[in-house]
Amino acid sequence: MILTVTLNLALDVTYTVPELLPYSSHRVSSAAQRAGGKGINVARVLAELGHNVLATGLCGGPTGQTVLADLGSLPHDFELITGETRRSVAVVDGDATIFNEPGPRVTPAEWFAFQRRFTALAARAQVVVLSGSLPQGLPDDSYATLTGLARTAGAKVLLDTSGPALTAGIRAAPDLVKPNAAELAEVAPSRAGPAGTVLAVSRGAAGMTVTAASEAWEAVPPEVLSGNPTGAGDAAAAAFAVALRDATAWPEALADAVALSGAAVVTPVAGEVDLSVYARLRPLVIVKEAPCHW
Amino acid sequence: MILTVTLNLALDVTYTVPELLPYSSHRVSSAAQRAGGKGINVARVLAELGHNVLATGLCGGPTGQTVLADLGSLPHDFELITGETRRSVAVVDGDATIFNEPGPRVTPAEWFAFQRRFTALAARAQVVVLSGSLPQGLPDDSYATLTGLARTAGAKVLLDTSGPALTAGIRAAPDLVKPNAAELAEVAPSRAGPAGTVLAVSRGAAGMTVTAASEAWEAVPPEVLSGNPTGAGDAAAAAFAVALRDATAWPEALADAVALSGAAVVTPVAGEVDLSVYARLRPLVIVKEAPCHW
């Protein structure tokens, strides 16, 4: 089983308006709601691919209940907290203007209760995927703590976050970290460079690189795909989680990740992939040896 | 008791951002939530003034539950519906950009159930205040229907709405209608001009007029007040509801409405009035006879 962790769960709300006019009043023609947070996207892609997956994390308030209801048949087991799960509002008039709520403040007792739940779930998992930002109240080294607990429980760890959570998390030597180029640039000055960690860096349309202890690979998308890039990185994380579980060779894993990212770009919402696009792109991805990026 | 009706209840959400930048992503520094809808504002002002008030209307989903929780000790008795109560999101960077969700679609069975509840509540009320827009699914003449039911139950009716709901509602001859100048202009070509209806028209800083069967009065605010004009009209509606209940002479009622509107402008949120400002302004309001505006 692959366990995905979403500590800063979200309800993604999309407001469609004819035209965004600052400092005026808009009648929203449609308001769509969907469970969000990077770990949810990863779990949905894994479920769509037929893998055994379980989503966990922190969930609170009426908005949290709306998120859980939206998960439907996706297996999940969240720690309920007092603070209310955040919303992310995208105002779309063709292009998107996004407003991210700060989200709940997590208490030390809630964080401790989650660690206990996580430890039990990780013992049933081959791979744990730690995705996204940390809610208020959690220490920067929260992902390092979970990485340690997962390792003790016998699971491999994929970390996909940014900023101080990435800087602190990387010190616990997760099996794979998957920053994008901008996130990597932020963390580079202070990175400890643990020997056991594989680095997968996404550069959007410029492709992806994988750097392991004694090998490095790069691949570019076989064609330019237009669509919604949100969720492409989460689809890549799903591919790398499967690769960690199955000990897939890195060139194969990288090709899977590039093809699955493309299959995510062509779908309108994050957390979905077009399996026919994936099947078409996968044999077209060319993986080459690369200079070491670590 | 004064009964306020809010058929299109709302959760008013305020997102504070440093600067609204279209087509970028914003981290919201604070997200405040508050029960909204014009009838709620009227009820809150009446409660603050110490009057016996009850708020009713239609309420649904997790957002509806959040609204009810925010009402706190304000007496309320809402009909629960399946559709979810709408949100109104104000993005504030000094000035406000507003996004109004379309709100729930009300079924005929829910509308019938509300009419039964309303009839029972109106029998206990001296005055019924019908405020705001109609949710989807309700006929344009919904306020006309409620006006008829309230009259049969022995209550007087104040109607404060706009567009087709005002045009249709005014035909049932409520005791007082309170449009602003723009709303009145919309309805004027088709108005039936029922003899028994008092017309109170607000013109913002230009003041307010009251036109009854054989008298007309006008008053302007005694000083220019800066602040939040949202809710000023609802404060005026609260004053006129009390006047209908107590059969106050119209010049007195108009002076109350103007002073209470000013006391609403100086408070940061709709549904609150500054009682010290009200007490200071009230004796300063000068009411004059006016040419008939009806």
Side-chain angles (χ1 to χ4, degrees), chain B residues 1-15:
Chain B
M1 179 264 282
I2 297 174
L3 179 67
T4 71
V5 175
T6 312
L7 295 178
N8 210 358
L9 193 67
L11 184 68
D12 287 340
V13 179
T14 303
Y15 285 168

Side-chain angles (χ1 to χ4, degrees), chain A residues 75-204:
Chain A
H76 58 270
D77 184 1
F78 277 78
E79 184 74 31
L80 297 183
I81 61 173
T82 301
E84 184 154 12
T85 291
R86 71 198 163 110
R87 292 176 163 240
S88 171
V89 176
V91 176
V92 175
D93 67 354
D95 284 319
T97 304
I98 294 169
F99 303 97
N100 290 308
E101 293 184 5
R105 178 166 289 277
V106 180
T107 68
E110 289 167 341
W111 175 226
F112 180 74
F114 175 74
Q115 290 178 59
R116 195 163 45 192
R117 178 182 301 261
F118 173 80
T119 300
L121 296 177
R124 296 163 39 203
Q126 288 82 53
V127 178
V128 169
V129 181
L130 308 172
S131 300
S133 60
L134 297 174
Q136 300 174 80
L138 290 196
D140 286 347
D141 66 355
S142 295
Y143 284 137
T145 301
L146 296 185
T147 298
L149 292 173
R151 178 156 300 135
T152 303
K156 291 184 175 175
V157 177
L158 188 161
L159 174 62
D160 184 6
T161 186
S162 60
L166 175 59
T167 305
I170 215 167
R171 293 205 190 99
D175 296 275
L176 187 145
V177 292
K178 201 208 74 49
N180 60 37
E183 290 160 353
L184 182 67
E186 272 183 41
V187 76
S190 61
R191 72 183 154 81
T197 299
V198 173
L199 181 69
V201 180
S202 55
R203 294 184 166 84

Side-chain angles (χ1 to χ4, degrees), chain B residues 136-219:
Chain B
Q136 300 174 78
L138 290 195
D140 285 347
D141 67 355
S142 295
Y143 283 137
T145 300
L146 297 185
T147 297
L149 292 174
R151 179 156 299 135
T152 303
K156 292 184 173 174
V157 178
L158 188 161
L159 174 62
D160 184 7
T161 186
S162 60
L166 175 58
T167 306
I170 215 167
R171 293 205 190 98
D175 295 276
L176 188 144
V177 292
K178 200 210 74 49
N180 61 36
E183 291 159 353
L184 184 66
E186 272 183 41
V187 76
S190 61
R191 71 183 156 78
T197 299
V198 173
L199 181 68
V201 180
S202 54
R203 294 184 167 83
M208 222 177 280
T209 59
V210 166
T211 309
S214 57
E215 54 184 320
W217 305 94
E218 64 185 18

Side-chain angles (χ1 to χ4, degrees), chain A residues 235-255:
Chain A
F240 286 122
V242 172
L244 282 176
R245 184 193 64 188
D246 299 345
T248 309
W250 291 116
E252 296 293 305
L254 179 57

Side-chain angles (χ1 to χ4, degrees), chain B residues 2 11 36-37 41 51 62 96-97 128 157 178 205 214 220 222 224-225 252:
Chain B
I2 297 174
L11 184 68
N41 297 339
H51 297 295
T97 304
V128 170
V157 178
K178 200 210 74 49
S214 57
V220 293
V224 176
L225 298 161
E252 295 294 307

